[in-house]
Amino acid sequence: MSDNLADVKNILDKYNQNHLFSFYDELPSDKKAALLGQIKSTNFELILNLYRESKQNDNINLNEISPIPHIEKQSLSKNEIDYYTSIGEDIIKSNSLAIVTLAGGQGTRLGYKGPKGTYELKFVFFKKSLFEIICDNIKKTNQKYNIVLPWYIMTSQENDFATKEYFRDHNFFGYPSDNIFFFKQESLPLIDIDGKLILEEPYRIKYASCGNGNVFKVLKESGNLQKMKDDGIKWISFGGIDNILLKTADPLFIGLTVHNNYKIASKTIFKEQPLEKTAVFCKRNNHPTILDYSDITLELSEKKDENGFYMYREANMLSHLMAIDAVEKSTTFDLRFHRAFKKNAFVNKEGVKQVPDGPNSFKFENFIFDAFYNFDDMLLFRVNPDEEFAPIKSFTGIHNPDTAMDKYESYYGLPKHDL
Ligand code: UTP
């Protein structure tokens, strides 16, 4: 046995992962080498620790929880809106805003083959992908202010190639391509309920992107954070790929944040039902964070402040604004990992690729909002979901392509597609 092979066998023995070698003997030599290399570069210690730690409950003491006050868009007067908007417009016009689109997710719930951003929606008179819809929204700002916003797109190992190819094939939707910057996030192995890493091919361990909170680390390591600084960027607007009503550069939101001296701000939507399965913003030990729905009691959800406002009903819609120094500070902390249970194809014991009926594997993810915990305060700005929130998550749940298109059509006064 070669030293290399012996080393790898030792690793697998040590971490109880010998199943990864089940098909090794039948592999051609290039695939053998690939598998050996991948096993050697896999951080088993990290992934197995995450798996073990994720089984322990993070018991939240509700005494540690306090609310983050919010501003409601509908409560602002016309004068206030004009005032804050003009502050935000000055920022946009001075070329100090960058857009970051978080498009590294797997999109397992939608189950669409290909990067989620390339999923196309068929409206009555046109067809547009999620990427093109976001692109159009940024282009509108560019046209209005006669600028070109730098557009940073985070991809993943799984979708980087296909995403770039899609943009090239569609001529970057007419966006100046030298102002689009792709950067690839990191990934981690997936692990099944028995603590075993899964194979996506007999010769390859399945890795998947490790959450949108990885954005800070990779913005820095890819050199893009430095590039932003060199280009005079002062503010970054972060958003997901799947909300087709996302306002990528909202001068009102920017103006409110700047005027009130915040470094971080998030748009929120009102959580209508007190026990709805939606996480909300709060402070824990005086630091901004998100309270998971499983930790929210009816009493907490119904709690109002002295002015009669609900204290824990501001839901996250993945639309964040951060000052560049807050982004830079966020690169210096390790964010915690959350465990998600997802459906992923795997190679079964017979060596055959199998698509499970439901979730079968754990994925460990950093979330962007966990970076906010490292700050003392942030602005929450509640917006109208009919104007700004039309996400696409799956074909069967409430956030499906039809519900999102319906909202989009109503907002833009478009004819309705057949439901
Ligand atoms: P979601 O939490 O909806 O996850 O991502 P997802 O991976 O897209 O879909 P599911 O859960 O597998 O069905 C919210 C946003 O964060 C991005 C997604 O692309 C989406 O825009 N994201 C998520 C990343 O950029 N990287 C990740 O690792 C995960």
Side-chain angles (χ1 to χ4, degrees), residues 89-122:
E89 285 183 325
D90 286 344
I91 304 266
I92 296 173
K93 284 190 280 193
S94 65
N95 290 310
S96 47
L97 177 74
I99 309 296
V100 173
T101 298
L102 305 162
Q106 281 189 291
T108 52
R109 282 169 291 172
L110 192 65
Y112 168 69
K113 212 170 179 316
K116 196 169 177 182
T118 65
Y119 179 66
E120 289 178 346
L121 300 173
K122 293 183 187 66

PDB file of all heavy atoms in Angstrom, residues 89-122:
ATOM      1  N   GLU A  89     -30.048  59.622  -2.062  1.00  0.00           N
ATOM      2  CA  GLU A  89     -29.711  59.863  -3.475  1.00  0.00           C
ATOM      3  C   GLU A  89     -28.300  60.436  -3.610  1.00  0.00           C
ATOM      4  O   GLU A  89     -27.571  60.101  -4.540  1.00  0.00           O
ATOM      5  CB  GLU A  89     -30.740  60.814  -4.100  1.00  0.00           C
ATOM      6  CG  GLU A  89     -32.060  60.107  -4.376  1.00  0.00           C
ATOM      7  CD  GLU A  89     -33.096  60.996  -5.057  1.00  0.00           C
ATOM      8  OE1 GLU A  89     -33.125  62.212  -4.748  1.00  0.00           O
ATOM      9  OE2 GLU A  89     -33.852  60.460  -5.885  1.00  0.00           O
ATOM     10  N   ASP A  90     -27.930  61.291  -2.663  1.00  0.00           N
ATOM     11  CA  ASP A  90     -26.564  61.852  -2.716  1.00  0.00           C
ATOM     12  C   ASP A  90     -25.517  60.739  -2.594  1.00  0.00           C
ATOM     13  O   ASP A  90     -24.490  60.765  -3.264  1.00  0.00           O
ATOM     14  CB  ASP A  90     -26.360  62.876  -1.582  1.00  0.00           C
ATOM     15  CG  ASP A  90     -27.100  64.174  -1.898  1.00  0.00           C
ATOM     16  OD1 ASP A  90     -27.478  64.363  -3.070  1.00  0.00           O
ATOM     17  OD2 ASP A  90     -27.314  64.974  -0.965  1.00  0.00           O
ATOM     18  N   ILE A  91     -25.803  59.775  -1.733  1.00  0.00           N
ATOM     19  CA  ILE A  91     -24.860  58.641  -1.581  1.00  0.00           C
ATOM     20  C   ILE A  91     -24.779  57.859  -2.894  1.00  0.00           C
ATOM     21  O   ILE A  91     -23.700  57.522  -3.376  1.00  0.00           O
ATOM     22  CB  ILE A  91     -25.348  57.673  -0.468  1.00  0.00           C
ATOM     23  CG1 ILE A  91     -25.539  58.397   0.858  1.00  0.00           C
ATOM     24  CG2 ILE A  91     -24.468  56.434  -0.365  1.00  0.00           C
ATOM     25  CD1 ILE A  91     -24.410  58.374   1.801  1.00  0.00           C
ATOM     26  N   ILE A  92     -25.948  57.588  -3.457  1.00  0.00           N
ATOM     27  CA  ILE A  92     -25.960  56.790  -4.696  1.00  0.00           C
ATOM     28  C   ILE A  92     -25.239  57.550  -5.818  1.00  0.00           C
ATOM     29  O   ILE A  92     -24.396  56.983  -6.523  1.00  0.00           O
ATOM     30  CB  ILE A  92     -27.417  56.454  -5.112  1.00  0.00           C
ATOM     31  CG1 ILE A  92     -28.079  55.563  -4.051  1.00  0.00           C
ATOM     32  CG2 ILE A  92     -27.452  55.780  -6.479  1.00  0.00           C
ATOM     33  CD1 ILE A  92     -29.569  55.303  -4.274  1.00  0.00           C
ATOM     34  N   LYS A  93     -25.545  58.827  -5.934  1.00  0.00           N
ATOM     35  CA  LYS A  93     -24.960  59.615  -7.039  1.00  0.00           C
ATOM     36  C   LYS A  93     -23.448  59.793  -6.879  1.00  0.00           C
ATOM     37  O   LYS A  93     -22.740  60.023  -7.842  1.00  0.00           O
ATOM     38  CB  LYS A  93     -25.643  60.988  -7.115  1.00  0.00           C
ATOM     39  CG  LYS A  93     -27.047  60.887  -7.737  1.00  0.00           C
ATOM     40  CD  LYS A  93     -27.641  62.233  -8.042  1.00  0.00           C
ATOM     41  CE  LYS A  93     -28.228  62.867  -6.809  1.00  0.00           C
ATOM     42  NZ  LYS A  93     -29.077  64.030  -7.036  1.00  0.00           N
ATOM     43  N   SER A  94     -22.975  59.705  -5.632  1.00  0.00           N
ATOM     44  CA  SER A  94     -21.532  59.910  -5.433  1.00  0.00           C
ATOM     45  C   SER A  94     -20.738  58.611  -5.628  1.00  0.00           C
ATOM     46  O   SER A  94     -19.566  58.534  -5.245  1.00  0.00           O
ATOM     47  CB  SER A  94     -21.275  60.459  -4.031  1.00  0.00           C
ATOM     48  OG  SER A  94     -21.649  59.481  -3.082  1.00  0.00           O
ATOM     49  N   ASN A  95     -21.369  57.630  -6.237  1.00  0.00           N
ATOM     50  CA  ASN A  95     -20.698  56.347  -6.529  1.00  0.00           C
ATOM     51  C   ASN A  95     -20.120  55.677  -5.295  1.00  0.00           C
ATOM     52  O   ASN A  95     -19.056  55.063  -5.355  1.00  0.00           O
ATOM     53  CB  ASN A  95     -19.562  56.556  -7.549  1.00  0.00           C
ATOM     54  CG  ASN A  95     -20.126  56.872  -8.906  1.00  0.00           C
ATOM     55  OD1 ASN A  95     -20.999  56.167  -9.404  1.00  0.00           O
ATOM     56  ND2 ASN A  95     -19.658  57.960  -9.496  1.00  0.00           N
ATOM     57  N   SER A  96     -20.815  55.819  -4.178  1.00  0.00           N
ATOM     58  CA  SER A  96     -20.258  55.168  -2.985  1.00  0.00           C
ATOM     59  C   SER A  96     -21.108  53.993  -2.504  1.00  0.00           C
ATOM     60  O   SER A  96     -20.945  53.546  -1.372  1.00  0.00           O
ATOM     61  CB  SER A  96     -20.011  56.187  -1.872  1.00  0.00           C
ATOM     62  OG  SER A  96     -21.105  57.019  -1.707  1.00  0.00           O
ATOM     63  N   LEU A  97     -21.998  53.514  -3.363  1.00  0.00           N
ATOM     64  CA  LEU A  97     -22.811  52.343  -3.002  1.00  0.00           C
ATOM     65  C   LEU A  97     -22.455  51.161  -3.907  1.00  0.00           C
ATOM     66  O   LEU A  97     -22.282  51.339  -5.116  1.00  0.00           O
ATOM     67  CB  LEU A  97     -24.309  52.674  -3.191  1.00  0.00           C
ATOM     68  CG  LEU A  97     -25.277  51.510  -2.926  1.00  0.00           C
ATOM     69  CD1 LEU A  97     -25.403  51.230  -1.426  1.00  0.00           C
ATOM     70  CD2 LEU A  97     -26.667  51.812  -3.506  1.00  0.00           C
ATOM     71  N   ALA A  98     -22.336  49.990  -3.302  1.00  0.00           N
ATOM     72  CA  ALA A  98     -22.157  48.753  -4.091  1.00  0.00           C
ATOM     73  C   ALA A  98     -23.309  47.815  -3.782  1.00  0.00           C
ATOM     74  O   ALA A  98     -23.852  47.826  -2.674  1.00  0.00           O
ATOM     75  CB  ALA A  98     -20.834  48.081  -3.738  1.00  0.00           C
ATOM     76  N   ILE A  99     -23.674  47.013  -4.769  1.00  0.00           N
ATOM     77  CA  ILE A  99     -24.730  46.014  -4.580  1.00  0.00           C
ATOM     78  C   ILE A  99     -24.073  44.638  -4.458  1.00  0.00           C
ATOM     79  O   ILE A  99     -23.225  44.290  -5.278  1.00  0.00           O
ATOM     80  CB  ILE A  99     -25.685  45.975  -5.803  1.00  0.00           C
ATOM     81  CG1 ILE A  99     -26.197  47.379  -6.156  1.00  0.00           C
ATOM     82  CG2 ILE A  99     -26.827  44.987  -5.593  1.00  0.00           C
ATOM     83  CD1 ILE A  99     -27.040  48.031  -5.108  1.00  0.00           C
ATOM     84  N   VAL A 100     -24.490  43.884  -3.456  1.00  0.00           N
ATOM     85  CA  VAL A 100     -24.030  42.491  -3.356  1.00  0.00           C
ATOM     86  C   VAL A 100     -25.246  41.573  -3.414  1.00  0.00           C
ATOM     87  O   VAL A 100     -26.170  41.699  -2.600  1.00  0.00           O
ATOM     88  CB  VAL A 100     -23.247  42.225  -2.049  1.00  0.00           C
ATOM     89  CG1 VAL A 100     -22.940  40.736  -1.907  1.00  0.00           C
ATOM     90  CG2 VAL A 100     -21.939  43.020  -2.029  1.00  0.00           C
ATOM     91  N   THR A 101     -25.250  40.687  -4.394  1.00  0.00           N
ATOM     92  CA  THR A 101     -26.324  39.703  -4.509  1.00  0.00           C
ATOM     93  C   THR A 101     -25.812  38.357  -4.024  1.00  0.00           C
ATOM     94  O   THR A 101     -24.788  37.858  -4.512  1.00  0.00           O
ATOM     95  CB  THR A 101     -26.802  39.594  -5.980  1.00  0.00           C
ATOM     96  OG1 THR A 101     -27.315  40.866  -6.372  1.00  0.00           O
ATOM     97  CG2 THR A 101     -27.887  38.545  -6.139  1.00  0.00           C
ATOM     98  N   LEU A 102     -26.519  37.812  -3.047  1.00  0.00           N
ATOM     99  CA  LEU A 102     -26.114  36.531  -2.453  1.00  0.00           C
ATOM    100  C   LEU A 102     -26.767  35.409  -3.263  1.00  0.00           C
ATOM    101  O   LEU A 102     -27.965  35.168  -3.134  1.00  0.00           O
ATOM    102  CB  LEU A 102     -26.568  36.490  -0.998  1.00  0.00           C
ATOM    103  CG  LEU A 102     -26.063  37.673  -0.156  1.00  0.00           C
ATOM    104  CD1 LEU A 102     -26.869  37.825   1.119  1.00  0.00           C
ATOM    105  CD2 LEU A 102     -24.576  37.523   0.140  1.00  0.00           C
ATOM    106  N   ALA A 103     -25.979  34.801  -4.112  1.00  0.00           N
ATOM    107  CA  ALA A 103     -26.555  33.802  -5.018  1.00  0.00           C
ATOM    108  C   ALA A 103     -25.809  32.477  -4.930  1.00  0.00           C
ATOM    109  O   ALA A 103     -25.689  31.743  -5.902  1.00  0.00           O
ATOM    110  CB  ALA A 103     -26.538  34.335  -6.451  1.00  0.00           C
ATOM    111  N   GLY A 104     -25.286  32.195  -3.736  1.00  0.00           N
ATOM    112  CA  GLY A 104     -24.520  30.960  -3.580  1.00  0.00           C
ATOM    113  C   GLY A 104     -25.334  29.804  -3.028  1.00  0.00           C
ATOM    114  O   GLY A 104     -24.809  28.719  -2.816  1.00  0.00           O
ATOM    115  N   GLY A 105     -26.631  30.053  -2.777  1.00  0.00           N
ATOM    116  CA  GLY A 105     -27.461  29.009  -2.158  1.00  0.00           C
ATOM    117  C   GLY A 105     -27.698  27.821  -3.081  1.00  0.00           C
ATOM    118  O   GLY A 105     -27.502  27.910  -4.299  1.00  0.00           O
ATOM    119  N   GLN A 106     -28.127  26.737  -2.491  1.00  0.00           N
ATOM    120  CA  GLN A 106     -28.376  25.511  -3.273  1.00  0.00           C
ATOM    121  C   GLN A 106     -29.759  25.500  -3.888  1.00  0.00           C
ATOM    122  O   GLN A 106     -29.997  24.793  -4.860  1.00  0.00           O
ATOM    123  CB  GLN A 106     -28.294  24.295  -2.356  1.00  0.00           C
ATOM    124  CG  GLN A 106     -26.931  23.809  -1.997  1.00  0.00           C
ATOM    125  CD  GLN A 106     -27.071  22.481  -1.277  1.00  0.00           C
ATOM    126  OE1 GLN A 106     -27.565  22.416  -0.152  1.00  0.00           O
ATOM    127  NE2 GLN A 106     -26.674  21.411  -1.933  1.00  0.00           N
ATOM    128  N   GLY A 107     -30.695  26.231  -3.265  1.00  0.00           N
ATOM    129  CA  GLY A 107     -32.072  26.234  -3.774  1.00  0.00           C
ATOM    130  C   GLY A 107     -32.700  24.852  -3.727  1.00  0.00           C
ATOM    131  O   GLY A 107     -33.443  24.471  -4.633  1.00  0.00           O
ATOM    132  N   THR A 108     -32.414  24.089  -2.676  1.00  0.00           N
ATOM    133  CA  THR A 108     -32.903  22.699  -2.636  1.00  0.00           C
ATOM    134  C   THR A 108     -34.430  22.631  -2.577  1.00  0.00           C
ATOM    135  O   THR A 108     -35.028  21.727  -3.141  1.00  0.00           O
ATOM    136  CB  THR A 108     -32.347  21.929  -1.420  1.00  0.00           C
ATOM    137  OG1 THR A 108     -32.596  22.695  -0.251  1.00  0.00           O
ATOM    138  CG2 THR A 108     -30.875  21.654  -1.557  1.00  0.00           C
ATOM    139  N   ARG A 109     -35.066  23.613  -1.897  1.00  0.00           N
ATOM    140  CA  ARG A 109     -36.528  23.543  -1.786  1.00  0.00           C
ATOM    141  C   ARG A 109     -37.181  23.745  -3.145  1.00  0.00           C
ATOM    142  O   ARG A 109     -38.187  23.132  -3.455  1.00  0.00           O
ATOM    143  CB  ARG A 109     -37.035  24.590  -0.786  1.00  0.00           C
ATOM    144  CG  ARG A 109     -36.841  24.177   0.651  1.00  0.00           C
ATOM    145  CD  ARG A 109     -37.089  25.318   1.579  1.00  0.00           C
ATOM    146  NE  ARG A 109     -36.063  26.353   1.465  1.00  0.00           N
ATOM    147  CZ  ARG A 109     -36.114  27.536   2.046  1.00  0.00           C
ATOM    148  NH1 ARG A 109     -37.158  27.859   2.777  1.00  0.00           N
ATOM    149  NH2 ARG A 109     -35.134  28.408   1.909  1.00  0.00           N
ATOM    150  N   LEU A 110     -36.617  24.620  -3.962  1.00  0.00           N
ATOM    151  CA  LEU A 110     -37.188  24.824  -5.294  1.00  0.00           C
ATOM    152  C   LEU A 110     -36.879  23.603  -6.166  1.00  0.00           C
ATOM    153  O   LEU A 110     -37.692  23.196  -6.994  1.00  0.00           O
ATOM    154  CB  LEU A 110     -36.615  26.106  -5.925  1.00  0.00           C
ATOM    155  CG  LEU A 110     -37.324  26.580  -7.182  1.00  0.00           C
ATOM    156  CD1 LEU A 110     -38.759  26.989  -6.867  1.00  0.00           C
ATOM    157  CD2 LEU A 110     -36.594  27.743  -7.846  1.00  0.00           C
ATOM    158  N   GLY A 111     -35.704  23.053  -5.946  1.00  0.00           N
ATOM    159  CA  GLY A 111     -35.345  21.827  -6.666  1.00  0.00           C
ATOM    160  C   GLY A 111     -35.169  22.050  -8.160  1.00  0.00           C
ATOM    161  O   GLY A 111     -35.285  21.129  -8.958  1.00  0.00           O
ATOM    162  N   TYR A 112     -34.859  23.267  -8.538  1.00  0.00           N
ATOM    163  CA  TYR A 112     -34.654  23.568  -9.957  1.00  0.00           C
ATOM    164  C   TYR A 112     -33.225  23.192 -10.334  1.00  0.00           C
ATOM    165  O   TYR A 112     -32.287  23.486  -9.599  1.00  0.00           O
ATOM    166  CB  TYR A 112     -34.924  25.069 -10.171  1.00  0.00           C
ATOM    167  CG  TYR A 112     -34.497  25.596 -11.502  1.00  0.00           C
ATOM    168  CD1 TYR A 112     -35.163  25.204 -12.659  1.00  0.00           C
ATOM    169  CD2 TYR A 112     -33.436  26.491 -11.610  1.00  0.00           C
ATOM    170  CE1 TYR A 112     -34.762  25.684 -13.891  1.00  0.00           C
ATOM    171  CE2 TYR A 112     -33.032  26.981 -12.830  1.00  0.00           C
ATOM    172  CZ  TYR A 112     -33.705  26.569 -13.966  1.00  0.00           C
ATOM    173  OH  TYR A 112     -33.306  27.036 -15.182  1.00  0.00           O
ATOM    174  N   LYS A 113     -33.088  22.569 -11.485  1.00  0.00           N
ATOM    175  CA  LYS A 113     -31.755  22.136 -11.903  1.00  0.00           C
ATOM    176  C   LYS A 113     -31.014  23.344 -12.465  1.00  0.00           C
ATOM    177  O   LYS A 113     -31.449  23.917 -13.461  1.00  0.00           O
ATOM    178  CB  LYS A 113     -31.905  21.047 -12.984  1.00  0.00           C
ATOM    179  CG  LYS A 113     -30.810  20.025 -12.982  1.00  0.00           C
ATOM    180  CD  LYS A 113     -31.189  18.878 -13.926  1.00  0.00           C
ATOM    181  CE  LYS A 113     -30.153  17.800 -14.010  1.00  0.00           C
ATOM    182  NZ  LYS A 113     -28.786  18.145 -14.115  1.00  0.00           N
ATOM    183  N   GLY A 114     -29.965  23.730 -11.837  1.00  0.00           N
ATOM    184  CA  GLY A 114     -29.241  24.931 -12.287  1.00  0.00           C
ATOM    185  C   GLY A 114     -29.282  25.975 -11.202  1.00  0.00           C
ATOM    186  O   GLY A 114     -30.057  25.867 -10.252  1.00  0.00           O
ATOM    187  N   PRO A 115     -28.444  27.010 -11.330  1.00  0.00           N
ATOM    188  CA  PRO A 115     -28.432  28.058 -10.300  1.00  0.00           C
ATOM    189  C   PRO A 115     -29.824  28.679 -10.174  1.00  0.00           C
ATOM    190  O   PRO A 115     -30.501  28.904 -11.180  1.00  0.00           O
ATOM    191  CB  PRO A 115     -27.442  29.084 -10.876  1.00  0.00           C
ATOM    192  CG  PRO A 115     -26.629  28.340 -11.875  1.00  0.00           C
ATOM    193  CD  PRO A 115     -27.490  27.247 -12.409  1.00  0.00           C
ATOM    194  N   LYS A 116     -30.244  28.953  -8.941  1.00  0.00           N
ATOM    195  CA  LYS A 116     -31.598  29.466  -8.723  1.00  0.00           C
ATOM    196  C   LYS A 116     -31.844  30.764  -9.510  1.00  0.00           C
ATOM    197  O   LYS A 116     -32.940  30.993 -10.017  1.00  0.00           O
ATOM    198  CB  LYS A 116     -31.795  29.709  -7.231  1.00  0.00           C
ATOM    199  CG  LYS A 116     -33.234  29.874  -6.816  1.00  0.00           C
ATOM    200  CD  LYS A 116     -33.317  29.844  -5.306  1.00  0.00           C
ATOM    201  CE  LYS A 116     -34.715  30.066  -4.806  1.00  0.00           C
ATOM    202  NZ  LYS A 116     -34.774  30.070  -3.331  1.00  0.00           N
ATOM    203  N   GLY A 117     -30.798  31.580  -9.612  1.00  0.00           N
ATOM    204  CA  GLY A 117     -30.937  32.857 -10.325  1.00  0.00           C
ATOM    205  C   GLY A 117     -31.260  32.690 -11.798  1.00  0.00           C
ATOM    206  O   GLY A 117     -31.720  33.630 -12.464  1.00  0.00           O
ATOM    207  N   THR A 118     -31.023  31.501 -12.342  1.00  0.00           N
ATOM    208  CA  THR A 118     -31.306  31.292 -13.768  1.00  0.00           C
ATOM    209  C   THR A 118     -32.724  30.762 -13.985  1.00  0.00           C
ATOM    210  O   THR A 118     -33.131  30.511 -15.114  1.00  0.00           O
ATOM    211  CB  THR A 118     -30.295  30.299 -14.400  1.00  0.00           C
ATOM    212  OG1 THR A 118     -30.481  29.010 -13.804  1.00  0.00           O
ATOM    213  CG2 THR A 118     -28.864  30.754 -14.182  1.00  0.00           C
ATOM    214  N   TYR A 119     -33.455  30.599 -12.915  1.00  0.00           N
ATOM    215  CA  TYR A 119     -34.848  30.126 -13.038  1.00  0.00           C
ATOM    216  C   TYR A 119     -35.677  31.220 -13.713  1.00  0.00           C
ATOM    217  O   TYR A 119     -35.671  32.383 -13.305  1.00  0.00           O
ATOM    218  CB  TYR A 119     -35.407  29.802 -11.651  1.00  0.00           C
ATOM    219  CG  TYR A 119     -36.850  29.338 -11.690  1.00  0.00           C
ATOM    220  CD1 TYR A 119     -37.190  28.129 -12.296  1.00  0.00           C
ATOM    221  CD2 TYR A 119     -37.862  30.135 -11.162  1.00  0.00           C
ATOM    222  CE1 TYR A 119     -38.509  27.723 -12.348  1.00  0.00           C
ATOM    223  CE2 TYR A 119     -39.185  29.729 -11.210  1.00  0.00           C
ATOM    224  CZ  TYR A 119     -39.499  28.520 -11.811  1.00  0.00           C
ATOM    225  OH  TYR A 119     -40.806  28.122 -11.885  1.00  0.00           O
ATOM    226  N   GLU A 120     -36.385  30.840 -14.791  1.00  0.00           N
ATOM    227  CA  GLU A 120     -37.107  31.849 -15.578  1.00  0.00           C
ATOM    228  C   GLU A 120     -38.595  31.866 -15.268  1.00  0.00           C
ATOM    229  O   GLU A 120     -39.229  30.818 -15.140  1.00  0.00           O
ATOM    230  CB  GLU A 120     -36.886  31.592 -17.066  1.00  0.00           C
ATOM    231  CG  GLU A 120     -35.454  31.920 -17.467  1.00  0.00           C
ATOM    232  CD  GLU A 120     -35.133  31.656 -18.922  1.00  0.00           C
ATOM    233  OE1 GLU A 120     -35.926  30.975 -19.602  1.00  0.00           O
ATOM    234  OE2 GLU A 120     -34.065  32.129 -19.370  1.00  0.00           O
ATOM    235  N   LEU A 121     -39.134  33.053 -15.157  1.00  0.00           N
ATOM    236  CA  LEU A 121     -40.560  33.228 -14.903  1.00  0.00           C
ATOM    237  C   LEU A 121     -41.226  33.676 -16.193  1.00  0.00           C
ATOM    238  O   LEU A 121     -40.736  34.602 -16.863  1.00  0.00           O
ATOM    239  CB  LEU A 121     -40.764  34.301 -13.823  1.00  0.00           C
ATOM    240  CG  LEU A 121     -40.113  34.000 -12.467  1.00  0.00           C
ATOM    241  CD1 LEU A 121     -40.235  35.208 -11.540  1.00  0.00           C
ATOM    242  CD2 LEU A 121     -40.764  32.786 -11.828  1.00  0.00           C
ATOM    243  N   LYS A 122     -42.350  33.037 -16.515  1.00  0.00           N
ATOM    244  CA  LYS A 122     -43.042  33.375 -17.772  1.00  0.00           C
ATOM    245  C   LYS A 122     -44.211  34.303 -17.484  1.00  0.00           C
ATOM    246  O   LYS A 122     -45.283  33.875 -17.063  1.00  0.00           O
ATOM    247  CB  LYS A 122     -43.519  32.103 -18.471  1.00  0.00           C
ATOM    248  CG  LYS A 122     -42.358  31.268 -18.961  1.00  0.00           C
ATOM    249  CD  LYS A 122     -42.822  30.031 -19.720  1.00  0.00           C
ATOM    250  CE  LYS A 122     -41.636  29.133 -20.045  1.00  0.00           C
ATOM    251  NZ  LYS A 122     -40.977  28.543 -18.869  1.00  0.00           N
TER     252      LYS A 122
END
